[in-house]
Amino acid sequence: FASDKSPVLTARLAKGHTAFTVRRGFFVRLRRSKETRLGRVADAPLTFRGAAPHNVENCLAAAALAWSLRLPDRAVSTALRTFGRAPSDNPGRGEIVTLRNRVRLFLDFGHNADGLRALFALARSLLPPGAAIVCVHTQPGDRTAVDLAALAHEIALAAPRTITVWESEEYLRGKKRGEITRALARALARAGVPRSAILAATSE
């Protein structure tokens, strides 16, 4: 999203366009000199109190779409404040489960390099000092070698203690059993992940 001082935002507003951004910790809609507050960023579950910039952007995009469809501001504000609070809202996406041994399990499906970069940044921000990341990862069978290399690069940069690769029957997409796991392991090794840190599982 454009910052409050962005030249692009300023130029758009000067032309009479409507813009959505964050001001002083609030999601806002701007039109000329009028500011409409839609909710606090910290109150939106998807943003993890603002620690997930990618979801701040997603919330702004959703608010803009809702406005273009002429949905009332009250409905938008309610959705921003509540969506993502219940696991059933968006299962397996940005979902945190705390296990009995105080390990926190962060569930998401980073299906491209940009997504993984954002997810690892968020995971790091949620970690207590000295804690380590372990990663469990799979991809659909129709990802190219270039795609896998980019994904592996982001995983290597995150430096997880271990990375367990697995594959799903549902996402083989033309690949034979075992091909995805082997391709991921090769890509991770080429990205510099120590082979001793690359594990394999037969199922999720």
Short mmCIF file of all heavy atoms in Angstrom, two decimals, residues 12 20 44 63 72 79 144 150 177 189:
data_model
loop_
_atom_site.label_atom_id
_atom_site.label_comp_id
_atom_site.label_asym_id
_atom_site.label_seq_id
_atom_site.Cartn_x
_atom_site.Cartn_y
_atom_site.Cartn_z
N ARG A 12 -2.87 11.08 -6.99
CA ARG A 12 -4.21 10.50 -7.21
C ARG A 12 -5.28 11.32 -6.50
O ARG A 12 -6.35 11.59 -7.06
CB ARG A 12 -4.24 9.06 -6.69
CG ARG A 12 -3.37 8.09 -7.47
CD ARG A 12 -3.99 7.77 -8.81
NE ARG A 12 -3.21 6.78 -9.54
CZ ARG A 12 -3.53 6.33 -10.75
NH1 ARG A 12 -4.60 6.79 -11.36
NH2 ARG A 12 -2.78 5.44 -11.34
N PHE A 20 -7.13 4.20 -0.67
CA PHE A 20 -7.16 3.48 0.61
C PHE A 20 -5.73 3.33 1.10
O PHE A 20 -4.85 2.92 0.34
CB PHE A 20 -7.80 2.10 0.43
CG PHE A 20 -9.28 2.16 0.17
CD1 PHE A 20 -9.78 2.54 -1.07
CD2 PHE A 20 -10.19 1.85 1.18
CE1 PHE A 20 -11.14 2.62 -1.31
CE2 PHE A 20 -11.56 1.91 0.95
CZ PHE A 20 -12.03 2.30 -0.29
N ALA A 44 -7.34 -5.85 13.43
CA ALA A 44 -7.66 -6.79 12.35
C ALA A 44 -6.86 -8.07 12.56
O ALA A 44 -5.63 -8.05 12.45
CB ALA A 44 -7.34 -6.17 10.99
N ALA A 63 -11.03 -3.85 1.29
CA ALA A 63 -11.86 -2.68 1.62
C ALA A 63 -12.17 -1.86 0.36
O ALA A 63 -13.29 -1.38 0.18
CB ALA A 63 -11.15 -1.82 2.66
N PRO A 72 -21.70 -1.20 2.57
CA PRO A 72 -21.63 -0.15 3.60
C PRO A 72 -20.35 -0.22 4.42
O PRO A 72 -19.80 -1.29 4.66
CB PRO A 72 -22.86 -0.43 4.48
CG PRO A 72 -23.22 -1.85 4.22
CD PRO A 72 -22.80 -2.15 2.81
N ALA A 79 -15.98 -6.64 9.13
CA ALA A 79 -15.19 -7.71 8.52
C ALA A 79 -13.71 -7.56 8.86
O ALA A 79 -13.03 -8.54 9.20
CB ALA A 79 -15.40 -7.72 7.01
N THR A 144 7.46 -25.27 -11.81
CA THR A 144 8.64 -25.44 -12.67
C THR A 144 9.90 -25.50 -11.81
O THR A 144 9.89 -25.15 -10.62
CB THR A 144 8.77 -24.28 -13.66
OG1 THR A 144 9.07 -23.08 -12.92
CG2 THR A 144 7.49 -24.08 -14.46
N ALA A 150 13.35 -20.72 -6.70
CA ALA A 150 13.02 -19.47 -6.00
C ALA A 150 12.47 -19.76 -4.61
O ALA A 150 12.82 -19.07 -3.63
CB ALA A 150 12.02 -18.66 -6.82
N ARG A 177 4.53 -40.47 -7.69
CA ARG A 177 4.79 -40.40 -6.25
C ARG A 177 6.30 -40.34 -5.99
O ARG A 177 7.07 -41.11 -6.54
CB ARG A 177 4.19 -41.65 -5.58
CG ARG A 177 4.16 -41.60 -4.09
CD ARG A 177 3.13 -40.63 -3.59
NE ARG A 177 3.02 -40.69 -2.14
CZ ARG A 177 2.50 -39.73 -1.40
NH1 ARG A 177 2.06 -38.65 -1.97
NH2 ARG A 177 2.43 -39.85 -0.10
N ALA A 189 19.01 -28.28 -1.52
CA ALA A 189 20.46 -28.52 -1.43
C ALA A 189 21.22 -27.53 -2.32
O ALA A 189 22.25 -26.98 -1.92
CB ALA A 189 20.78 -29.95 -1.84
#
